[in-house]
Amino acid sequence: MKENNQQNDIKTNIHWYPGHMTKAKRQMQESIKLIDVIIELVDARVPLASRNPDIDELGKNKPRIIIMNKADMASDNENTKWKKYFEEKGFHVILTNAKTGQGVKSLKNQITEVCKEKIERDKRRGIKNRPIRGMVCGIPNVGKSTFINSVVGKSTAKTGNKPGVTRGNQWIKLNNQVELLDTPGILWPKFEDPKVGILLALCGGIKEDVLNVTELACYGITILSKQNSKILDLKYNINTVDILPNYDIINQSEILTFGEIVLDKIAESRKMLLKGGLHDINKAALMFLDDIRNAKFGGITFEIVEEINEE
């Protein structure tokens, strides 16, 4: 038996825009004129959903380096495809795992390459010893502060495993040639595509206290089982073969129904019970979301390049 432990309806429409984000955006607007290159961090698991469209507007005509962070938590095959996707749009791209430092050392060379014309122009004008200034930006919880600390080689920026840790701009000297401006993670006021909010929430980019975790888990379950019909069965020792939906025509109601059935099976398998022997699907949902965010399913990319191109 299951206990439908519903909170507020998710309605596939998640909004989270605290007041400090308005201030952070204004600070970025004021700082952009000082910047030579924008270093934009995205979550490799959701490379498009984790890009703030406001950064495109704020950073017009500025060279861009895209850091696909948490690449170790995404599919290697999809990482390669997304790197090519962004490069074809004129961006320089680095795949990184900021926690281990993988890939971060190439940033200095990339900055020099991107700003080569500016460096030569300064030399011709007789301007010496002026550092290149890069703005490090991105949405909450993509690992900006961890990335900066890894690049600099010491704990300079505040870090945390929850979105919204960095609250103010801070300049960090990388070396005599490069200075980095660490900026707070900001979202944008409204997600035009409701799926964006779901993907960000699945990856921990939105605070959980504004979410319906059970419904969110249902969407995550559907996405994972669509990519690999056996992945949930193998992880939780359950059987979902007979209940897999037709993903080409599945609607919101069917997603929730399918997800709740799977959560009920997970709760039963893991002996997550409420009083009276009811299955605690809310606890199962929390465990499932935690497993996603800690890469317990291996490398998973939630946005597939081919599907984006079809849209």
Side-chain angles (χ1 to χ4, degrees), residues 21-275:
M21 290 191 180
T22 302
K23 180 181 177 182
K25 182 180 176 181
R26 186 170 64 250
Q27 289 175 333
M28 287 180 66
Q29 288 173 319
E30 294 169 353
S31 301
I32 201 74
K33 59 182 177 290
L34 305 173
I35 300 302
D36 301 309
V37 56
I38 293 176
I39 302 157
E40 179 186 5
L41 267 77
V42 302
D43 189 320
R45 296 169 295 177
V46 284
L48 280 190
S50 57
R51 294 196 69 214
N52 185 341
D54 287 346
I55 293 174
D56 283 337
E57 180 64 28
L58 292 172
K60 279 181 178 177
N61 304 318
K62 298 285 183 179
R64 186 85 54 93
I65 298 172
I66 290 184
I67 308 295
M68 288 180 58
N69 195 33
K70 304 185 181 182
D72 57 303
M73 302 175 74
S75 159
D76 289 338
N77 188 42
E78 292 301 321
N79 283 342
T80 301
K81 292 179 183 178
W82 278 110
K83 187 174 186 292
K84 181 181 178 183
Y85 173 92
F86 286 128
E87 287 174 342
E88 288 177 346
K89 295 186 177 299
F91 300 121
H92 292 250
V93 182
I94 305 174
L95 298 173
T96 66
N97 173 359
K99 286 186 176 180
T100 65
Q102 181 181 353
V104 300
K105 290 184 178 179
S106 63
L107 177 65
K108 296 175 186 177
N109 290 336
Q110 283 280 12
I111 290 175
T112 301
E113 176 64 26
V114 169
C115 297
K116 184 166 54 178
E117 290 185 10
K118 179 208 170 297
I119 294 169
E120 292 299 322
R121 188 168 61 248
D122 284 352
K123 284 182 179 179
R124 290 194 299 269
R125 293 174 177 175
I127 301 173
K128 298 179 180 180
N129 302 322
R130 182 197 179 282
I132 299 169
R133 295 192 175 101
M135 176 184 283
V136 183
C137 55
I139 68 168
N141 210 36
V142 292
K144 287 189 297 81
S145 297
T146 303
F147 174 77
I148 287 179
N149 289 339
S150 183
V151 171
V152 177
K154 58 183 178 180
S155 184
T156 302
K158 294 178 181 178
T159 64
N161 59 5
K162 293 183 179 180
V165 174
T166 304
R167 288 298 177 95
N169 290 354
Q170 50 182 330
W171 282 100
I172 298 160
K173 187 174 182 179
L174 184 56
N175 54 35
N176 290 333
Q177 289 79 43
V178 180
E179 293 178 355
L180 300 178
L181 178 63
D182 185 18
T183 62
I186 57 172
L187 290 171
W188 52 109
K190 183 179 180 182
F191 302 132
E192 297 300 331
D193 182 354
K195 186 179 178 182
V196 170
I198 293 169
L199 292 173
L200 293 182
L202 283 171
C203 293
I206 297 175
K207 286 186 175 178
E208 208 152 80
D209 54 8
V210 302
L211 306 174
N212 180 319
V213 294
T214 302
E215 291 193 6
L216 179 61
C218 290
Y219 282 94
I221 284 168
T222 304
I223 293 171
L224 256 65
S225 62
K226 180 181 179 181
Q227 290 191 23
N228 182 344
S229 61
K230 298 289 187 181
I231 195 168
L232 297 167
D233 294 14
L234 293 173
K235 173 66 178 173
Y236 299 115
N237 193 28
I238 59 177
N239 183 3
T240 62
V241 174
D242 296 333
I243 59 170
L244 291 173
N246 182 339
Y247 297 105
D248 293 330
I249 59 173
I250 190 171
N251 58 34
Q252 180 176 348
S253 175
E254 291 167 328
I255 287 171
L256 298 180
T257 299
F258 170 61
E260 287 185 3
I261 294 172
V262 174
L263 288 173
D264 185 56
K265 288 176 176 290
I266 293 172
E268 180 181 23
S269 175
R270 294 298 175 90
K271 295 181 172 51
M272 295 175 172
L273 303 176
L274 297 166
K275 290 181 180 179

